[in-house]
Amino acid sequence: MASVESKAALDLLVRRLERIGHLSDEERRAVGNLPAKIQTLRPRQDIVLDKEKPEHSCLLVEGWAYRYKLLGQGRRQILSFHVPGDMPDLHSLHIKTMDHSLGALTEATIAFIAHEALLDVTRRFPGLAGIMWRETLIDAAIFRQWIAGMGQRDGFGRMAHLFCELYCKLEAIGLAADHRCTLPITQTELGDALGLSSVHTNRVLQEMKAQSLIELRTRTLNITDWDGLVQVAEFDPSYLQLAQ
Amino acid sequence: MASVESKAALDLLVRRLERIGHLSDEERRAVGNLPAKIQTLRPRQDIVLDKEKPEHSCLLVEGWAYRYKLLGQGRRQILSFHVPGDMPDLHSLHIKTMDHSLGALTEATIAFIAHEALLDVTRRFPGLAGIMWRETLIDAAIFRQWIAGMGQRDGFGRMAHLFCELYCKLEAIGLAADHRCTLPITQTELGDALGLSSVHTNRVLQEMKAQSLIELRTRTLNITDWDGLVQVAEFDPSYLQLAQ
DNA sequence: CGCGTGATTGACCTTGCTCAAAACGAGTGG
DNA sequence: CCACTCGTTTTGAGCAAGGTCAATCACGCG
């Protein structure tokens, strides 16, 4: 059960939770002993589908994931992007039926942890419960930002804001520095996240390059004018709760 | 301390929590003994402001409330509407700094409950903690619906969806029936919630009346063709978790 | 009766969509 | 190494949704 990979995954989880709040030795141990099933996924492979009632939540160990909702006429709205350390379906612990789908964006390593085990831990350690609760609340804060963006910002501003957000999340876990990071998503996906058509997404992206705010080639984003990007995005990272 | 109003407010809270999950006698008692400060607010009066660090969460006892974010250039995005029984800033229990503001929409009665007391109860009763956690997760599910709507639906569809959502929430707490309910919001506010200008909001509203889907006069919404409205909204109420 | 807020209308403009085609680019089989 | 392919990016042209500005209207209230 305690394979090398699952140990590493739970270590990652412990570090993640500690970034949010303090853990006692006992709590650390309890998390470290959670049963985790490791699985590797292909790019674009689904993890949980809308309407399903999963029995476990997953910890993203490596790679990117995304949540999305399908609407009629082939429309798709991407709701969030996730990076290593995230638990994108932690909410299923208390809301049994999925209201959206979750998929891997890149090749990804996932650790599945049974709800039963997670619930047991939250019952025994209210502090841990609070930290996990907080995780889901940060998620909700990000949703609020997205709502504000979709309602009040134009495509340019929304894209700028998303780039700022993703860069900050990646930097916080050591996967980005120097305003440079990977961006393993197609323009169509970017559009589905921003509520723009792929054609318009492409044009906004070009405009952003033309203004020397970013460079983008072979799935690598280079933010050449961070301050400028922050300004057009009206970006304030406090909602991400990343302060160490 | 245990005034008549605060007793009534905590009764409301107990009923609300019981609609979400089962409470033991002991848990019911603990909730009933929470210290609650009752306050009455004028229409449009703010309750908590962006950036503040509230020391208590509030239970909306009577009237409507709304959450909103202000952006530059006087833009405002309304993030949610709240009805009696809701705890619109329960999240501040675990995220200290507000990332948006909360205000009364109508004259409203609010019960403030200190974080300290709430945290204590959640520590002693993991079951209660789970139910409150679930409350905030339902909130997040509503945010996801709004994101999907803003990204993928046009103004007409968004408004239809919002009307369906509000009616269902009101019906669930006995404040609406026969597809009829009060709607104490101006068209400007409706527009700020849907990401539309007030001018366009007005035109969409007229179109919706012209199609005989709704009637609207003196702050009263009458959904004359519920099935039709549900259809154009692609509305599925399961995300609201209202099943009894 | 006069005020003030909210609703409504018209004219014009911008953002972003659709359709359709072309251009790239990385990987594959020959 | 080349031809081919499939997924993605890019471009053009025309159109629709929704914004802005500026009046005007309606109505509840003191």
Side-chain angles (χ1 to χ4, degrees), chain B residues 40-59:
Chain B
T40 305
L41 302 175
R42 312 263 90 230
R44 273 69 189 179
Q45 185 175 342
D46 283 313
I47 301 171
V48 201
L49 292 177
D50 201 356
K51 308 282 181 200
E52 287 185 345
K53 295 175 194 289
E55 301 276 316
H56 32 245
S57 287
C58 71
L59 167 71

Side-chain angles (χ1 to χ4, degrees), chain B residues 69-91:
Chain B
K69 248 185 209 298
L70 295 179
L71 291 93
Q73 276 74 50
R75 288 165 300 158
R76 171 180 65 165
Q77 177 64 42
I78 292 180
L79 300 163
S80 57
F81 293 110
H82 293 280
V83 298
D86 287 350
M87 297 193 70
D89 66 344
L90 188 52
H91 65 275

Side-chain angles (χ1 to χ4, degrees), chain A residues 37-214:
Chain A
K37 258 195 301 261
I38 306 293
Q39 201 168 318
T40 305
L41 302 174
R42 313 264 88 228
R44 272 69 190 178
Q45 185 175 342
D46 284 313
I47 301 171
V48 201
L49 292 177
D50 201 356
K51 308 283 181 199
E52 286 185 348
K53 296 175 191 290
E55 301 278 314
H56 32 244
S57 288
C58 73
L59 167 70
L60 181 52
V61 178
E62 212 186 310
W64 288 49
Y66 69 123
R67 300 200 261 182
Y68 65 94
K69 247 186 212 295
L70 294 180
L71 293 94
Q73 277 75 48
R75 288 165 301 158
R76 171 180 66 166
Q77 177 64 42
I78 290 179
L79 301 164
S80 58
F81 292 109
H82 293 279
V83 299
D86 286 351
M87 296 192 72
D89 65 344
L90 188 52
H91 64 275
S92 65
L93 204 55
H94 288 290
I95 295 195
K96 286 305 160 198
T97 307
M98 293 291 289
D99 59 45
H100 60 275
S101 302
L102 173 63
L105 210 41
T106 63
E107 182 157 310
T109 307
I110 303 276
F112 289 99
I113 306 175
H115 283 167
E116 201 184 328
L118 283 169
L119 284 172
D120 176 63
V121 155
T122 60
R123 276 191 286 260
R124 286 190 293 137
F125 302 102
L128 272 183
I131 292 177
M132 292 191 198
W133 186 352
R134 186 156 196 263
E135 279 273 5
T136 63
L137 292 172
I138 294 172
D139 239 71
I142 295 176
F143 289 147
R144 287 192 286 273
Q145 276 291 350
W146 281 42
I147 290 174
M150 312 211 74
Q152 306 301 323
R153 284 194 255 271
D154 61 14
F156 197 91
R158 290 210 286 278
M159 192 178 294
H161 200 277
L162 179 59
F163 286 165
C164 291
E165 178 180 303
L166 291 176
Y167 176 76
C168 283
K169 286 189 69 166
L170 288 167
E171 193 193 44
I173 55 172
L175 288 187
D178 292 329
H179 301 134
R180 203 182 293 265
C181 62
T182 64
L183 192 73
I185 56 186
T186 66
Q187 293 184 12
T188 302
E189 286 159 345
L190 194 51
D192 283 351
L194 298 171
L196 301 176
S197 68
S198 61
V199 170
H200 197 63
T201 300
N202 180 273
R203 288 177 172 138
V204 170
L205 221 30
Q206 287 181 48
E207 175 63 20
M208 205 169 270
K209 290 173 191 168
Q211 292 190 20
S212 300
L213 292 167
I214 62 163

Side-chain angles (χ1 to χ4, degrees), chain B residues 187 199 202-203 206 219:
Chain B
Q187 292 184 10
V199 171
N202 180 273
R203 289 179 172 137
Q206 287 181 48
R219 304 278 118 117

